[in-house]
Amino acid sequence: MSRILIVEDEPRIASFLEKGLQAHGFITTHTEDGEGGIALALGGKFDLLILDLGLPDRDGMTVLEALRGQGFAKPIILLTARDDLHDKVTGLEAGADDYVTKPFRFEELLARIRARLRSLQTSSELAKTTLTVGSVVLDLMTRQVQASGQVVELSAREFILTETFMRHAGQVLSREQLLDLAWGYGYDPGSNIVDVYVGYLRKKLGSDCIETVRGMGYRMVLTEAINVAAS
Ligand code: CA
């Protein structure tokens, strides 16, 4: 399981990141300032660092430079609120591996994290990338989904919603949790978009794979032990 350190001072974004990453099988640690981030990164066993550039105590860019200067070799992905090419170029030159500009979609950051971690993995680890719940098999690398032995075509959103359900198989997820996990922050909780997409998944994966729990939300039916081999 991969460990991710998040250095981000905005509580809403930090919590959104932690929830989303934990839901996708990562172990997260969060700190809100640069000094704490440097200490944790140098002292801890992290596989990847997510670093906000606008921190209260010091500029994220100097945190990046300090870490690379002290031999921190793990991937660093920058979060920048500034759509500023200069920051991005400077960040990459200072040793960042990638960046995401706020506001960003969770799945975009997730894809970048996976790409960075994948380049570190050995081939044996690469093979362990499938989730299986009942007759549904999802491959995180090829992004292929099969249901009852048939390949199913899913949109990007359907894929991430399916993955979310599979990682929480047997557990009831409220519409609000599903919005947070599969859509990201800022969606109107009164919207019926979750219900619409659950309808799509039932058509594609099988009508009884996701059940409605009245007044609470939805649950992926756990018919066999979940096999979470990826992280
Ligand atoms: Ca900030």
Side-chain angles (χ1 to χ4, degrees):
M1 221 179 274
S2 300
R3 294 168 188 273
I4 297 184
L5 175 61
I6 300 163
V7 185
E8 164 63 76
D9 61 307
E10 287 171 59
R12 197 173 64 114
I13 294 177
S15 142
F16 161 71
L17 288 177
E18 285 211 287
K19 275 193 289 183
L21 291 171
Q22 286 168 12
H24 288 84
F26 296 96
I27 298 170
T28 60
T29 300
H30 166 235
T31 180
E32 55 195 27
D33 62 72
E35 287 302 328
I38 291 172
L40 281 164
L42 294 176
K45 292 178 179 170
F46 296 100
D47 301 296
L48 186 139
L49 171 62
I50 297 172
L51 175 63
D52 181 31
L53 281 186
L55 294 170
D57 60 332
R58 52 189 287 181
D59 190 309
M61 205 70 82
T62 69
V63 174
L64 170 64
E65 287 162 355
L67 283 172
R68 289 308 190 212
Q70 291 177 69
F72 181 82
K74 295 297 169 67
I76 298 178
I77 297 178
L78 301 178
L79 299 182
T80 170
R82 298 164 277 192
D83 194 13
D84 182 340
L85 189 64
H86 174 75
D87 270 354
K88 292 166 186 169
V89 172
T90 309
L92 295 174
E93 281 174 351
D97 296 274
D98 209 342
Y99 57 81
V100 174
T101 305
K102 295 175 187 174
F104 55 89
R105 294 178 310 142
F106 181 75
E107 59 204 82
E108 182 193 346
L109 177 64
L110 186 62
R112 288 171 190 275
I113 289 170
R114 285 189 175 141
R116 286 300 144 198
L117 292 175
R118 197 176 308 154
S119 59
L120 301 176
Q121 284 174 331
T122 65
S123 54
S124 67
E125 286 171 318
L126 273 178
K128 298 184 286 179
T129 57
T130 57
L131 305 179
T132 305
V133 178
S135 67
V136 182
V137 180
L138 177 146
D139 188 318
L140 294 163
M141 288 301 159
T142 64
R143 300 186 74 77
Q144 194 186 65
V145 176
Q146 293 190 20
S148 306
Q150 302 291 314
V151 174
V152 182
E153 294 295 329
L154 296 182
S155 69
R157 184 73 65 193
E158 290 166 350
F159 184 92
I160 200 164
L161 186 59
T162 302
E163 183 186 346
T164 301
F165 271 119
M166 293 179 82
R167 292 202 183 270
H168 297 269
Q171 184 185 333
V172 181
L173 295 169
S174 68
R175 285 173 181 76
E176 201 170 46
Q177 284 174 311
L178 288 164
L179 272 179
D180 271 357
L181 295 171
W183 274 264
Y185 60 87
Y187 274 83
D188 172 14
S191 137
N192 72 341
I193 192 164
V194 170
D195 311 271
V196 171
Y197 270 80
V198 166
Y200 295 158
L201 293 190
R202 283 175 172 156
K203 275 195 194 125
K204 292 185 175 185
L205 303 176
S207 57
D208 44 9
C209 74
I210 297 167
E211 60 185 11
T212 303
V213 183
R214 273 188 73 181
M216 296 180 73
Y218 294 105
R219 169 166 57 203
M220 186 160 203
V221 179
L222 189 55
T223 50
E224 282 170 34
I226 183 168
N227 167 27
V228 181
S231 64

